[in-house]
Amino acid sequence: MSCSNISAGFTLDCNDAQGGVDKVFIANGPVEGITESSGNVTAITVGGSALTPSDFFTFEMPRQSGSYTETVAVSQENGTVTYDQALTLVFNKMEAAKRNQLLLMAEATSMVVVFKTNDETPKYFSVGLERGAYVSAATVTSGTAYADRQGYEITISGLEAAPSYEITSSIVEA
């Protein structure tokens, strides 16, 4: 069996990207299948049906508060590569409705999670698409000073065999 060979290089892009996460879309899982070509997903199947925007719940956050990190771990000794994905979400105000939804998310063993970037032309990316996304950490804080944040910070994680997929926007937003 031969290993993959590098097939292209990168040219310098324009300075038009924006950091951060705009919104997060979450549906109940687990994923049964995806339609994918060259890292782009055009359909996600759960429960025998392709997901549509009505299957997703939208989670909005304050500006410049959400983030995504994907860490690649390569082991030459073991011949393995994994992609550790972590999506951090921030929600202001402690209240029962948020508490109840976050409880359900923490108890879920597999969610379908897609996040939207802040770019002028936004892009959408998956978290834990093939092996399942799950809540791996959460904190609730009241703050100390009057101007401190009161609310929730949660981390949704995935540990995948491949990097995050770019998702077609029509899957999550009409």
Side-chain angles (χ1 to χ4, degrees):
M1 176 171 137
S2 68
C3 297
S4 299
N5 292 316
I6 297 170
S7 62
F10 301 136
T11 58
L12 185 61
D13 286 329
C14 297
N15 295 328
D16 60 354
Q18 298 290 305
V21 172
D22 181 44
K23 293 180 189 174
V24 175
F25 306 90
I26 300 177
N28 293 308
V31 171
E32 294 171 349
I34 62 173
T35 303
E36 178 264 336
S37 176
S38 300
N40 294 297
V41 171
T42 56
I44 302 170
T45 304
V46 171
S49 300
L51 293 180
T52 66
S54 64
D55 295 312
F56 284 89
F57 298 95
T58 303
F59 292 82
E60 296 179 350
M61 298 169 293
R63 287 181 287 211
Q64 300 186 69
S65 65
S67 67
Y68 175 75
T69 302
E70 182 172 76
T71 305
V72 183
V74 178
S75 172
Q76 294 294 323
E77 301 80 12
N78 297 329
T80 59
V81 61
T82 57
Y83 298 83
D84 190 358
Q85 303 170 341
L87 177 65
T88 302
L89 313 177
V90 173
F91 304 107
N92 291 336
K93 294 186 183 176
M94 295 169 55
E95 53 192 5
K98 289 177 184 165
R99 172 226 179 255
N100 295 342
Q101 287 306 311
L102 295 175
L103 172 64
L104 294 173
M105 290 168 62
E107 291 176 345
T109 57
S110 183
M111 299 181 293
V112 182
V113 178
V114 176
F115 69 90
K116 179 181 177 183
T117 66
N118 279 324
D119 293 316
E120 188 172 322
T121 303
K123 293 185 184 284
Y124 299 76
F125 292 95
S126 65
V127 178
L129 187 61
E130 294 188 293
R131 294 181 176 167
Y134 54 92
V135 172
S136 60
T139 56
V140 182
T141 183
S142 67
T144 303
Y146 293 143
D148 290 349
R149 176 187 299 126
Q150 174 214 98
Y152 307 86
E153 183 174 309
I154 68 168
T155 302
I156 297 176
S157 297
L159 185 59
E160 298 286 278
S164 180
Y165 291 100
E166 187 169 341
I167 306 296
T168 300
S169 64
S170 62
I171 293 174
V172 295
E173 285 196 297

